Amino acid sequence: MALVTDKVRWGLLSTAWINVAMVGPMQRSGRSRLAAVASRGLEKAEAYAAANRIPRAYGSYQELVEDPEIDAIYNPLPNTLHAEWTIRAARAGKHVMCEKPLVTTLEDLQAVEAAARENGVTIFEAFSFLHHPQIQTIKRIMAEGRLGDVELVTCWDAFCLPPEDRGNIRLQPELAGGGLWDVGVYPNAFAIALADGTPPSEVWAQQTVGPTGVDLTLIAQMRFPKGMVAQISCGMQSPPRRGAQIIGTRGMLTVMDHLSGADWPGDPPKEGRLTFTGTDRSQETIRIPAVDSYEAEVKAMEACILDGAPPVVSLDLSRALLQSVLALYQSARTGKTVALS
């Protein structure tokens, strides 16, 4: 689809709270324009548009998808609606940045891949931290051999969801709720990114299931084809915590925050910090400039559409991430190690 302007014209598919992270970057960028927002009712969409200085508002998602003056859609709908509306947008000739998880089944991923291919559009999963310079710095340190042979990656991501908040979308199994789908996908993606996008060869996981039927905590071990092992944990019933360690035969890298962005979406970005510890116990602090990872996502889509660049998070990478999550859930349900073909 050819643009008729030199800016990417964005539409927000709903008034979801995570939009707070995207509105500013879309409005600040010289190569983007936030043009429209949609909700399931016009009144809500118009109020949101007025509060956020968005020119147009629609009372249905389909109206936004069909708008010929929209080039790209940001899809932050509930997990179980990601595939449907990403495909609808693609068939209308729209590029799509879809919140994680892009899909929750391999069948849906195949349909998304086909929609992107058949309609000549870019679709990518919105893992903002994979667009941040911190992950590239970590991969460069590994490639330089400073850590030696990387044997173990540990990564954790958790927060506390009030138990009385039973109506929260994260606790609803019919909407693909659960700790792994919500925050566990980050440690999973972190490990797979360090394995150059290769999914693990086998996984083992255990989970704690809450009264609504979703996983409140999940702890897992993942073995990769080249010998690296990742131990990840996630949850929705513990004090907030994020971080990672990468341990090799020559050194260890401690990552203060693997997501490397703000404390909360919409907050100002903060400086990242890595600590390298050598086998002689020497230490070096490596500082990462404060970069808005959500703004980096917006710029990545601009590069795809305006410059023909490949997406940072390819659909092949999304396939590896999905295969891993599905295997982790299978292992947690059965109590058995699951091999990925």
Side-chain angles (χ1 to χ4, degrees), residues 138-152 226 228 246-253 276-279:
I138 293 170
K139 294 179 73 172
R140 176 175 52 78
I141 291 171
M142 291 174 60
E144 290 172 350
R146 292 192 65 191
L147 300 180
D149 295 328
V150 174
E151 298 177 330
L152 177 65
K226 293 184 179 180
M228 184 183 86
I246 306 159
I247 302 167
T249 54
R250 296 179 58 190
M252 174 177 69
L253 201 61
F276 174 84
T277 304
T279 52

mmCIF file with all atom_site columns, all heavy atoms in Angstrom, residues 138-152 226 228 246-253 276-279:
data_model
loop_
_atom_site.group_PDB
_atom_site.id
_atom_site.type_symbol
_atom_site.label_atom_id
_atom_site.label_alt_id
_atom_site.label_comp_id
_atom_site.label_asym_id
_atom_site.label_entity_id
_atom_site.label_seq_id
_atom_site.pdbx_PDB_ins_code
_atom_site.Cartn_x
_atom_site.Cartn_y
_atom_site.Cartn_z
_atom_site.occupancy
_atom_site.B_iso_or_equiv
_atom_site.pdbx_formal_charge
_atom_site.auth_seq_id
_atom_site.auth_comp_id
_atom_site.auth_asym_id
_atom_site.auth_atom_id
_atom_site.pdbx_PDB_model_num
ATOM 1   N N   . ILE A 1 138 ? 23.269 -5.573  25.250 1.00 0.00 ? 138 ILE A N   1
ATOM 2   C CA  . ILE A 1 138 ? 23.470 -6.889  25.856 1.00 0.00 ? 138 ILE A CA  1
ATOM 3   C C   . ILE A 1 138 ? 23.932 -7.903  24.811 1.00 0.00 ? 138 ILE A C   1
ATOM 4   O O   . ILE A 1 138 ? 24.883 -8.666  25.025 1.00 0.00 ? 138 ILE A O   1
ATOM 5   C CB  . ILE A 1 138 ? 22.172 -7.362  26.530 1.00 0.00 ? 138 ILE A CB  1
ATOM 6   C CG1 . ILE A 1 138 ? 21.837 -6.475  27.735 1.00 0.00 ? 138 ILE A CG1 1
ATOM 7   C CG2 . ILE A 1 138 ? 22.282 -8.826  26.960 1.00 0.00 ? 138 ILE A CG2 1
ATOM 8   C CD1 . ILE A 1 138 ? 20.462 -6.714  28.315 1.00 0.00 ? 138 ILE A CD1 1
ATOM 9   N N   . LYS A 1 139 ? 23.280 -7.895  23.660 1.00 0.00 ? 139 LYS A N   1
ATOM 10  C CA  . LYS A 1 139 ? 23.641 -8.851  22.606 1.00 0.00 ? 139 LYS A CA  1
ATOM 11  C C   . LYS A 1 139 ? 25.047 -8.579  22.074 1.00 0.00 ? 139 LYS A C   1
ATOM 12  O O   . LYS A 1 139 ? 25.788 -9.509  21.732 1.00 0.00 ? 139 LYS A O   1
ATOM 13  C CB  . LYS A 1 139 ? 22.604 -8.806  21.492 1.00 0.00 ? 139 LYS A CB  1
ATOM 14  C CG  . LYS A 1 139 ? 21.218 -9.299  21.935 1.00 0.00 ? 139 LYS A CG  1
ATOM 15  C CD  . LYS A 1 139 ? 20.193 -9.225  20.834 1.00 0.00 ? 139 LYS A CD  1
ATOM 16  C CE  . LYS A 1 139 ? 20.433 -10.288 19.795 1.00 0.00 ? 139 LYS A CE  1
ATOM 17  N NZ  . LYS A 1 139 ? 19.334 -10.355 18.797 1.00 0.00 ? 139 LYS A NZ  1
ATOM 18  N N   . ARG A 1 140 ? 25.425 -7.298  22.014 1.00 0.00 ? 140 ARG A N   1
ATOM 19  C CA  . ARG A 1 140 ? 26.787 -6.963  21.569 1.00 0.00 ? 140 ARG A CA  1
ATOM 20  C C   . ARG A 1 140 ? 27.833 -7.465  22.557 1.00 0.00 ? 140 ARG A C   1
ATOM 21  O O   . ARG A 1 140 ? 28.865 -8.022  22.155 1.00 0.00 ? 140 ARG A O   1
ATOM 22  C CB  . ARG A 1 140 ? 26.912 -5.453  21.379 1.00 0.00 ? 140 ARG A CB  1
ATOM 23  C CG  . ARG A 1 140 ? 28.325 -4.994  21.011 1.00 0.00 ? 140 ARG A CG  1
ATOM 24  C CD  . ARG A 1 140 ? 28.378 -3.506  20.723 1.00 0.00 ? 140 ARG A CD  1
ATOM 25  N NE  . ARG A 1 140 ? 27.793 -2.711  21.784 1.00 0.00 ? 140 ARG A NE  1
ATOM 26  C CZ  . ARG A 1 140 ? 28.423 -2.430  22.937 1.00 0.00 ? 140 ARG A CZ  1
ATOM 27  N NH1 . ARG A 1 140 ? 29.625 -2.911  23.176 1.00 0.00 ? 140 ARG A NH1 1
ATOM 28  N NH2 . ARG A 1 140 ? 27.828 -1.682  23.849 1.00 0.00 ? 140 ARG A NH2 1
ATOM 29  N N   . ILE A 1 141 ? 27.577 -7.290  23.847 1.00 0.00 ? 141 ILE A N   1
ATOM 30  C CA  . ILE A 1 141 ? 28.506 -7.776  24.866 1.00 0.00 ? 141 ILE A CA  1
ATOM 31  C C   . ILE A 1 141 ? 28.658 -9.293  24.768 1.00 0.00 ? 141 ILE A C   1
ATOM 32  O O   . ILE A 1 141 ? 29.761 -9.836  24.873 1.00 0.00 ? 141 ILE A O   1
ATOM 33  C CB  . ILE A 1 141 ? 28.004 -7.360  26.266 1.00 0.00 ? 141 ILE A CB  1
ATOM 34  C CG1 . ILE A 1 141 ? 28.136 -5.844  26.444 1.00 0.00 ? 141 ILE A CG1 1
ATOM 35  C CG2 . ILE A 1 141 ? 28.769 -8.087  27.368 1.00 0.00 ? 141 ILE A CG2 1
ATOM 36  C CD1 . ILE A 1 141 ? 27.469 -5.301  27.685 1.00 0.00 ? 141 ILE A CD1 1
ATOM 37  N N   . MET A 1 142 ? 27.555 -9.988  24.525 1.00 0.00 ? 142 MET A N   1
ATOM 38  C CA  . MET A 1 142 ? 27.623 -11.435 24.358 1.00 0.00 ? 142 MET A CA  1
ATOM 39  C C   . MET A 1 142 ? 28.412 -11.802 23.109 1.00 0.00 ? 142 MET A C   1
ATOM 40  O O   . MET A 1 142 ? 29.265 -12.702 23.138 1.00 0.00 ? 142 MET A O   1
ATOM 41  C CB  . MET A 1 142 ? 26.212 -12.007 24.273 1.00 0.00 ? 142 MET A CB  1
ATOM 42  C CG  . MET A 1 142 ? 25.430 -11.923 25.576 1.00 0.00 ? 142 MET A CG  1
ATOM 43  S SD  . MET A 1 142 ? 23.689 -12.444 25.401 1.00 0.00 ? 142 MET A SD  1
ATOM 44  C CE  . MET A 1 142 ? 23.881 -14.147 24.856 1.00 0.00 ? 142 MET A CE  1
ATOM 45  N N   . ALA A 1 143 ? 28.140 -11.087 21.993 1.00 0.00 ? 143 ALA A N   1
ATOM 46  C CA  . ALA A 1 143 ? 28.826 -11.393 20.727 1.00 0.00 ? 143 ALA A CA  1
ATOM 47  C C   . ALA A 1 143 ? 30.325 -11.128 20.815 1.00 0.00 ? 143 ALA A C   1
ATOM 48  O O   . ALA A 1 143 ? 31.119 -11.816 20.156 1.00 0.00 ? 143 ALA A O   1
ATOM 49  C CB  . ALA A 1 143 ? 28.208 -10.566 19.602 1.00 0.00 ? 143 ALA A CB  1
ATOM 50  N N   . GLU A 1 144 ? 30.720 -10.152 21.615 1.00 0.00 ? 144 GLU A N   1
ATOM 51  C CA  . GLU A 1 144 ? 32.139 -9.842  21.792 1.00 0.00 ? 144 GLU A CA  1
ATOM 52  C C   . GLU A 1 144 ? 32.864 -10.878 22.627 1.00 0.00 ? 144 GLU A C   1
ATOM 53  O O   . GLU A 1 144 ? 34.095 -10.856 22.725 1.00 0.00 ? 144 GLU A O   1
ATOM 54  C CB  . GLU A 1 144 ? 32.295 -8.465  22.445 1.00 0.00 ? 144 GLU A CB  1
ATOM 55  C CG  . GLU A 1 144 ? 31.893 -7.310  21.522 1.00 0.00 ? 144 GLU A CG  1
ATOM 56  C CD  . GLU A 1 144 ? 31.863 -5.971  22.250 1.00 0.00 ? 144 GLU A CD  1
ATOM 57  O OE1 . GLU A 1 144 ? 31.964 -5.974  23.502 1.00 0.00 ? 144 GLU A OE1 1
ATOM 58  O OE2 . GLU A 1 144 ? 31.736 -4.934  21.581 1.00 0.00 ? 144 GLU A OE2 1
ATOM 59  N N   . GLY A 1 145 ? 32.126 -11.781 23.253 1.00 0.00 ? 145 GLY A N   1
ATOM 60  C CA  . GLY A 1 145 ? 32.739 -12.837 24.034 1.00 0.00 ? 145 GLY A CA  1
ATOM 61  C C   . GLY A 1 145 ? 33.093 -12.457 25.458 1.00 0.00 ? 145 GLY A C   1
ATOM 62  O O   . GLY A 1 145 ? 33.776 -13.220 26.157 1.00 0.00 ? 145 GLY A O   1
ATOM 63  N N   . ARG A 1 146 ? 32.643 -11.301 25.923 1.00 0.00 ? 146 ARG A N   1
ATOM 64  C CA  . ARG A 1 146 ? 33.016 -10.865 27.266 1.00 0.00 ? 146 ARG A CA  1
ATOM 65  C C   . ARG A 1 146 ? 32.453 -11.793 28.342 1.00 0.00 ? 146 ARG A C   1
ATOM 66  O O   . ARG A 1 146 ? 33.034 -11.909 29.418 1.00 0.00 ? 146 ARG A O   1
ATOM 67  C CB  . ARG A 1 146 ? 32.533 -9.440  27.518 1.00 0.00 ? 146 ARG A CB  1
ATOM 68  C CG  . ARG A 1 146 ? 33.242 -8.382  26.692 1.00 0.00 ? 146 ARG A CG  1
ATOM 69  C CD  . ARG A 1 146 ? 32.931 -6.993  27.202 1.00 0.00 ? 146 ARG A CD  1
ATOM 70  N NE  . ARG A 1 146 ? 33.460 -6.793  28.557 1.00 0.00 ? 146 ARG A NE  1
ATOM 71  C CZ  . ARG A 1 146 ? 33.159 -5.754  29.324 1.00 0.00 ? 146 ARG A CZ  1
ATOM 72  N NH1 . ARG A 1 146 ? 32.309 -4.837  28.887 1.00 0.00 ? 146 ARG A NH1 1
ATOM 73  N NH2 . ARG A 1 146 ? 33.678 -5.646  30.528 1.00 0.00 ? 146 ARG A NH2 1
ATOM 74  N N   . LEU A 1 147 ? 31.333 -12.436 28.049 1.00 0.00 ? 147 LEU A N   1
ATOM 75  C CA  . LEU A 1 147 ? 30.740 -13.352 29.024 1.00 0.00 ? 147 LEU A CA  1
ATOM 76  C C   . LEU A 1 147 ? 31.230 -14.778 28.845 1.00 0.00 ? 147 LEU A C   1
ATOM 77  O O   . LEU A 1 147 ? 30.927 -15.645 29.671 1.00 0.00 ? 147 LEU A O   1
ATOM 78  C CB  . LEU A 1 147 ? 29.214 -13.318 28.916 1.00 0.00 ? 147 LEU A CB  1
ATOM 79  C CG  . LEU A 1 147 ? 28.537 -11.973 29.155 1.00 0.00 ? 147 LEU A CG  1
ATOM 80  C CD1 . LEU A 1 147 ? 27.026 -12.103 29.003 1.00 0.00 ? 147 LEU A CD1 1
ATOM 81  C CD2 . LEU A 1 147 ? 28.872 -11.422 30.529 1.00 0.00 ? 147 LEU A CD2 1
ATOM 82  N N   . GLY A 1 148 ? 31.992 -15.031 27.795 1.00 0.00 ? 148 GLY A N   1
ATOM 83  C CA  . GLY A 1 148 ? 32.370 -16.400 27.484 1.00 0.00 ? 148 GLY A CA  1
ATOM 84  C C   . GLY A 1 148 ? 31.181 -17.171 26.938 1.00 0.00 ? 148 GLY A C   1
ATOM 85  O O   . GLY A 1 148 ? 30.316 -16.607 26.264 1.00 0.00 ? 148 GLY A O   1
ATOM 86  N N   . ASP A 1 149 ? 31.134 -18.445 27.228 1.00 0.00 ? 149 ASP A N   1
ATOM 87  C CA  . ASP A 1 149 ? 29.985 -19.254 26.812 1.00 0.00 ? 149 ASP A CA  1
ATOM 88  C C   . ASP A 1 149 ? 28.839 -19.007 27.790 1.00 0.00 ? 149 ASP A C   1
ATOM 89  O O   . ASP A 1 149 ? 28.973 -19.278 28.984 1.00 0.00 ? 149 ASP A O   1
ATOM 90  C CB  . ASP A 1 149 ? 30.350 -20.745 26.822 1.00 0.00 ? 149 ASP A CB  1
ATOM 91  C CG  . ASP A 1 149 ? 31.417 -21.086 25.797 1.00 0.00 ? 149 ASP A CG  1
ATOM 92  O OD1 . ASP A 1 149 ? 31.440 -20.435 24.735 1.00 0.00 ? 149 ASP A OD1 1
ATOM 93  O OD2 . ASP A 1 149 ? 32.238 -21.983 26.069 1.00 0.00 ? 149 ASP A OD2 1
ATOM 94  N N   . VAL A 1 150 ? 27.739 -18.494 27.278 1.00 0.00 ? 150 VAL A N   1
ATOM 95  C CA  . VAL A 1 150 ? 26.598 -18.203 28.136 1.00 0.00 ? 150 VAL A CA  1
ATOM 96  C C   . VAL A 1 150 ? 25.894 -19.513 28.482 1.00 0.00 ? 150 VAL A C   1
ATOM 97  O O   . VAL A 1 150 ? 25.443 -20.252 27.604 1.00 0.00 ? 150 VAL A O   1
ATOM 98  C CB  . VAL A 1 150 ? 25.623 -17.227 27.456 1.00 0.00 ? 150 VAL A CB  1
ATOM 99  C CG1 . VAL A 1 150 ? 24.359 -17.059 28.302 1.00 0.00 ? 150 VAL A CG1 1
ATOM 100 C CG2 . VAL A 1 150 ? 26.302 -15.868 27.265 1.00 0.00 ? 150 VAL A CG2 1
ATOM 101 N N   . GLU A 1 151 ? 25.827 -19.789 29.775 1.00 0.00 ? 151 GLU A N   1
ATOM 102 C CA  . GLU A 1 151 ? 25.253 -21.047 30.240 1.00 0.00 ? 151 GLU A CA  1
ATOM 103 C C   . GLU A 1 151 ? 23.860 -20.875 30.855 1.00 0.00 ? 151 GLU A C   1
ATOM 104 O O   . GLU A 1 151 ? 23.034 -21.775 30.769 1.00 0.00 ? 151 GLU A O   1
ATOM 105 C CB  . GLU A 1 151 ? 26.186 -21.686 31.276 1.00 0.00 ? 151 GLU A CB  1
ATOM 106 C CG  . GLU A 1 151 ? 27.556 -22.037 30.707 1.00 0.00 ? 151 GLU A CG  1
ATOM 107 C CD  . GLU A 1 151 ? 28.496 -22.612 31.746 1.00 0.00 ? 151 GLU A CD  1
ATOM 108 O OE1 . GLU A 1 151 ? 28.373 -22.241 32.935 1.00 0.00 ? 151 GLU A OE1 1
ATOM 109 O OE2 . GLU A 1 151 ? 29.361 -23.431 31.359 1.00 0.00 ? 151 GLU A OE2 1
ATOM 110 N N   . LEU A 1 152 ? 23.626 -19.709 31.467 1.00 0.00 ? 152 LEU A N   1
ATOM 111 C CA  . LEU A 1 152 ? 22.379 -19.542 32.202 1.00 0.00 ? 152 LEU A CA  1
ATOM 112 C C   . LEU A 1 152 ? 21.860 -18.118 32.074 1.00 0.00 ? 152 LEU A C   1
ATOM 113 O O   . LEU A 1 152 ? 22.614 -17.152 32.245 1.00 0.00 ? 152 LEU A O   1
ATOM 114 C CB  . LEU A 1 152 ? 22.591 -19.872 33.682 1.00 0.00 ? 152 LEU A CB  1
ATOM 115 C CG  . LEU A 1 152 ? 21.385 -19.678 34.620 1.00 0.00 ? 152 LEU A CG  1
ATOM 116 C CD1 . LEU A 1 152 ? 20.249 -20.635 34.261 1.00 0.00 ? 152 LEU A CD1 1
ATOM 117 C CD2 . LEU A 1 152 ? 21.803 -19.878 36.072 1.00 0.00 ? 152 LEU A CD2 1
ATOM 118 N N   . LYS A 1 226 ? 21.715 -24.659 21.578 1.00 0.00 ? 226 LYS A N   1
ATOM 119 C CA  . LYS A 1 226 ? 23.165 -24.497 21.720 1.00 0.00 ? 226 LYS A CA  1
ATOM 120 C C   . LYS A 1 226 ? 23.644 -24.640 23.160 1.00 0.00 ? 226 LYS A C   1
ATOM 121 O O   . LYS A 1 226 ? 24.783 -24.332 23.470 1.00 0.00 ? 226 LYS A O   1
ATOM 122 C CB  . LYS A 1 226 ? 23.587 -23.145 21.151 1.00 0.00 ? 226 LYS A CB  1
ATOM 123 C CG  . LYS A 1 226 ? 23.403 -23.045 19.641 1.00 0.00 ? 226 LYS A CG  1
ATOM 124 C CD  . LYS A 1 226 ? 23.925 -21.728 19.084 1.00 0.00 ? 226 LYS A CD  1
ATOM 125 C CE  . LYS A 1 226 ? 23.744 -21.665 17.581 1.00 0.00 ? 226 LYS A CE  1
ATOM 126 N NZ  . LYS A 1 226 ? 24.253 -20.384 17.009 1.00 0.00 ? 226 LYS A NZ  1
ATOM 127 N N   . MET A 1 228 ? 22.392 -23.187 26.065 1.00 0.00 ? 228 MET A N   1
ATOM 128 C CA  . MET A 1 228 ? 21.989 -22.193 27.056 1.00 0.00 ? 228 MET A CA  1
ATOM 129 C C   . MET A 1 228 ? 20.699 -22.630 27.735 1.00 0.00 ? 228 MET A C   1
ATOM 130 O O   . MET A 1 228 ? 19.800 -23.180 27.103 1.00 0.00 ? 228 MET A O   1
ATOM 131 C CB  . MET A 1 228 ? 21.782 -20.830 26.373 1.00 0.00 ? 228 MET A CB  1
ATOM 132 C CG  . MET A 1 228 ? 21.465 -19.697 27.331 1.00 0.00 ? 228 MET A CG  1
ATOM 133 S SD  . MET A 1 228 ? 21.152 -18.128 26.453 1.00 0.00 ? 228 MET A SD  1
ATOM 134 C CE  . MET A 1 228 ? 19.396 -18.290 26.100 1.00 0.00 ? 228 MET A CE  1
ATOM 135 N N   . ILE A 1 246 ? 22.632 -12.738 33.260 1.00 0.00 ? 246 ILE A N   1
ATOM 136 C CA  . ILE A 1 246 ? 23.159 -13.566 32.175 1.00 0.00 ? 246 ILE A CA  1
ATOM 137 C C   . ILE A 1 246 ? 24.525 -14.048 32.633 1.00 0.00 ? 246 ILE A C   1
ATOM 138 O O   . ILE A 1 246 ? 25.428 -13.234 32.874 1.00 0.00 ? 246 ILE A O   1
ATOM 139 C CB  . ILE A 1 246 ? 23.275 -12.755 30.872 1.00 0.00 ? 246 ILE A CB  1
ATOM 140 C CG1 . ILE A 1 246 ? 21.920 -12.115 30.539 1.00 0.00 ? 246 ILE A CG1 1
ATOM 141 C CG2 . ILE A 1 246 ? 23.745 -13.639 29.723 1.00 0.00 ? 246 ILE A CG2 1
ATOM 142 C CD1 . ILE A 1 246 ? 22.030 -10.937 29.604 1.00 0.00 ? 246 ILE A CD1 1
ATOM 143 N N   . ILE A 1 247 ? 24.687 -15.348 32.765 1.00 0.00 ? 247 ILE A N   1
ATOM 144 C CA  . ILE A 1 247 ? 25.882 -15.917 33.396 1.00 0.00 ? 247 ILE A CA  1
ATOM 145 C C   . ILE A 1 247 ? 26.634 -16.764 32.384 1.00 0.00 ? 247 ILE A C   1
ATOM 146 O O   . ILE A 1 247 ? 26.077 -17.680 31.767 1.00 0.00 ? 247 ILE A O   1
ATOM 147 C CB  . ILE A 1 247 ? 25.495 -16.763 34.617 1.00 0.00 ? 247 ILE A CB  1
ATOM 148 C CG1 . ILE A 1 247 ? 24.706 -15.895 35.617 1.00 0.00 ? 247 ILE A CG1 1
ATOM 149 C CG2 . ILE A 1 247 ? 26.736 -17.347 35.286 1.00 0.00 ? 247 ILE A CG2 1
ATOM 150 C CD1 . ILE A 1 247 ? 24.016 -16.678 36.699 1.00 0.00 ? 247 ILE A CD1 1
ATOM 151 N N   . GLY A 1 248 ? 27.920 -16.415 32.206 1.00 0.00 ? 248 GLY A N   1
ATOM 152 C CA  . GLY A 1 248 ? 28.766 -17.152 31.293 1.00 0.00 ? 248 GLY A CA  1
ATOM 153 C C   . GLY A 1 248 ? 30.027 -17.634 31.974 1.00 0.00 ? 248 GLY A C   1
ATOM 154 O O   . GLY A 1 248 ? 30.238 -17.429 33.174 1.00 0.00 ? 248 GLY A O   1
ATOM 155 N N   . THR A 1 249 ? 30.892 -18.273 31.203 1.00 0.00 ? 249 THR A N   1
ATOM 156 C CA  . THR A 1 249 ? 32.112 -18.848 31.755 1.00 0.00 ? 249 THR A CA  1
ATOM 157 C C   . THR A 1 249 ? 33.177 -17.797 32.055 1.00 0.00 ? 249 THR A C   1
ATOM 158 O O   . THR A 1 249 ? 34.130 -18.076 32.776 1.00 0.00 ? 249 THR A O   1
ATOM 159 C CB  . THR A 1 249 ? 32.694 -19.882 30.772 1.00 0.00 ? 249 THR A CB  1
ATOM 160 O OG1 . THR A 1 249 ? 32.868 -19.252 29.483 1.00 0.00 ? 249 THR A OG1 1
ATOM 161 C CG2 . THR A 1 249 ? 31.753 -21.067 30.621 1.00 0.00 ? 249 THR A CG2 1
ATOM 162 N N   . ARG A 1 250 ? 33.002 -16.568 31.541 1.00 0.00 ? 250 ARG A N   1
ATOM 163 C CA  . ARG A 1 250 ? 33.993 -15.515 31.776 1.00 0.00 ? 250 ARG A CA  1
ATOM 164 C C   . ARG A 1 250 ? 33.434 -14.331 32.551 1.00 0.00 ? 250 ARG A C   1
ATOM 165 O O   . ARG A 1 250 ? 34.200 -13.488 33.030 1.00 0.00 ? 250 ARG A O   1
ATOM 166 C CB  . ARG A 1 250 ? 34.571 -15.019 30.448 1.00 0.00 ? 250 ARG A CB  1
ATOM 167 C CG  . ARG A 1 250 ? 35.345 -16.078 29.669 1.00 0.00 ? 250 ARG A CG  1
ATOM 168 C CD  . ARG A 1 250 ? 35.865 -15.521 28.366 1.00 0.00 ? 250 ARG A CD  1
ATOM 169 N NE  . ARG A 1 250 ? 36.731 -14.373 28.577 1.00 0.00 ? 250 ARG A NE  1
ATOM 170 C CZ  . ARG A 1 250 ? 37.184 -13.570 27.603 1.00 0.00 ? 250 ARG A CZ  1
ATOM 171 N NH1 . ARG A 1 250 ? 36.801 -13.800 26.349 1.00 0.00 ? 250 ARG A NH1 1
ATOM 172 N NH2 . ARG A 1 250 ? 37.973 -12.560 27.871 1.00 0.00 ? 250 ARG A NH2 1
ATOM 173 N N   . GLY A 1 251 ? 32.123 -14.243 32.657 1.00 0.00 ? 251 GLY A N   1
ATOM 174 C CA  . GLY A 1 251 ? 31.553 -13.094 33.350 1.00 0.00 ? 251 GLY A CA  1
ATOM 175 C C   . GLY A 1 251 ? 30.049 -13.216 33.498 1.00 0.00 ? 251 GLY A C   1
ATOM 176 O O   . GLY A 1 251 ? 29.410 -14.106 32.920 1.00 0.00 ? 251 GLY A O   1
ATOM 177 N N   . MET A 1 252 ? 29.507 -12.291 34.281 1.00 0.00 ? 252 MET A N   1
ATOM 178 C CA  . MET A 1 252 ? 28.070 -12.257 34.528 1.00 0.00 ? 252 MET A CA  1
ATOM 179 C C   . MET A 1 252 ? 27.573 -10.841 34.298 1.00 0.00 ? 252 MET A C   1
ATOM 180 O O   . MET A 1 252 ? 28.234 -9.861  34.679 1.00 0.00 ? 252 MET A O   1
ATOM 181 C CB  . MET A 1 252 ? 27.785 -12.672 35.974 1.00 0.00 ? 252 MET A CB  1
ATOM 182 C CG  . MET A 1 252 ? 26.320 -12.547 36.389 1.00 0.00 ? 252 MET A CG  1
ATOM 183 S SD  . MET A 1 252 ? 26.028 -13.136 38.087 1.00 0.00 ? 252 MET A SD  1
ATOM 184 C CE  . MET A 1 252 ? 26.883 -11.843 39.025 1.00 0.00 ? 252 MET A CE  1
ATOM 185 N N   . LEU A 1 253 ? 26.421 -10.723 33.672 1.00 0.00 ? 253 LEU A N   1
ATOM 186 C CA  . LEU A 1 253 ? 25.798 -9.431  33.425 1.00 0.00 ? 253 LEU A CA  1
ATOM 187 C C   . LEU A 1 253 ? 24.490 -9.377  34.202 1.00 0.00 ? 253 LEU A C   1
ATOM 188 O O   . LEU A 1 253 ? 23.599 -10.208 33.996 1.00 0.00 ? 253 LEU A O   1
ATOM 189 C CB  . LEU A 1 253 ? 25.541 -9.245  31.927 1.00 0.00 ? 253 LEU A CB  1
ATOM 190 C CG  . LEU A 1 253 ? 25.367 -7.816  31.400 1.00 0.00 ? 253 LEU A CG  1
ATOM 191 C CD1 . LEU A 1 253 ? 26.635 -6.999  31.649 1.00 0.00 ? 253 LEU A CD1 1
ATOM 192 C CD2 . LEU A 1 253 ? 25.035 -7.833  29.927 1.00 0.00 ? 253 LEU A CD2 1
ATOM 193 N N   . PHE A 1 276 ? 28.547 -5.581  34.919 1.00 0.00 ? 276 PHE A N   1
ATOM 194 C CA  . PHE A 1 276 ? 29.368 -6.709  34.480 1.00 0.00 ? 276 PHE A CA  1
ATOM 195 C C   . PHE A 1 276 ? 30.269 -7.134  35.634 1.00 0.00 ? 276 PHE A C   1
ATOM 196 O O   . PHE A 1 276 ? 30.973 -6.308  36.217 1.00 0.00 ? 276 PHE A O   1
ATOM 197 C CB  . PHE A 1 276 ? 30.221 -6.330  33.270 1.00 0.00 ? 276 PHE A CB  1
ATOM 198 C CG  . PHE A 1 276 ? 31.193 -7.410  32.867 1.00 0.00 ? 276 PHE A CG  1
ATOM 199 C CD1 . PHE A 1 276 ? 30.774 -8.445  32.052 1.00 0.00 ? 276 PHE A CD1 1
ATOM 200 C CD2 . PHE A 1 276 ? 32.504 -7.402  33.323 1.00 0.00 ? 276 PHE A CD2 1
ATOM 201 C CE1 . PHE A 1 276 ? 31.645 -9.458  31.689 1.00 0.00 ? 276 PHE A CE1 1
ATOM 202 C CE2 . PHE A 1 276 ? 33.393 -8.411  32.964 1.00 0.00 ? 276 PHE A CE2 1
ATOM 203 C CZ  . PHE A 1 276 ? 32.960 -9.442  32.137 1.00 0.00 ? 276 PHE A CZ  1
ATOM 204 N N   . THR A 1 277 ? 30.235 -8.415  35.963 1.00 0.00 ? 277 THR A N   1
ATOM 205 C CA  . THR A 1 277 ? 31.091 -8.966  37.004 1.00 0.00 ? 277 THR A CA  1
ATOM 206 C C   . THR A 1 277 ? 31.976 -10.035 36.388 1.00 0.00 ? 277 THR A C   1
ATOM 207 O O   . THR A 1 277 ? 31.473 -10.995 35.784 1.00 0.00 ? 277 THR A O   1
ATOM 208 C CB  . THR A 1 277 ? 30.254 -9.587  38.143 1.00 0.00 ? 277 THR A CB  1
ATOM 209 O OG1 . THR A 1 277 ? 29.348 -8.602  38.665 1.00 0.00 ? 277 THR A OG1 1
ATOM 210 C CG2 . THR A 1 277 ? 31.161 -10.089 39.264 1.00 0.00 ? 277 THR A CG2 1
ATOM 211 N N   . GLY A 1 278 ? 33.291 -9.848  36.509 1.00 0.00 ? 278 GLY A N   1
ATOM 212 C CA  . GLY A 1 278 ? 34.226 -10.811 35.947 1.00 0.00 ? 278 GLY A CA  1
ATOM 213 C C   . GLY A 1 278 ? 34.490 -11.964 36.895 1.00 0.00 ? 278 GLY A C   1
ATOM 214 O O   . GLY A 1 278 ? 34.080 -11.950 38.066 1.00 0.00 ? 278 GLY A O   1
ATOM 215 N N   . THR A 1 279 ? 35.172 -12.971 36.414 1.00 0.00 ? 279 THR A N   1
ATOM 216 C CA  . THR A 1 279 ? 35.497 -14.120 37.257 1.00 0.00 ? 279 THR A CA  1
ATOM 217 C C   . THR A 1 279 ? 36.450 -13.739 38.389 1.00 0.00 ? 279 THR A C   1
ATOM 218 O O   . THR A 1 279 ? 36.556 -14.466 39.381 1.00 0.00 ? 279 THR A O   1
ATOM 219 C CB  . THR A 1 279 ? 36.121 -15.239 36.409 1.00 0.00 ? 279 THR A CB  1
ATOM 220 O OG1 . THR A 1 279 ? 37.225 -14.699 35.652 1.00 0.00 ? 279 THR A OG1 1
ATOM 221 C CG2 . THR A 1 279 ? 35.096 -15.825 35.447 1.00 0.00 ? 279 THR A CG2 1
#
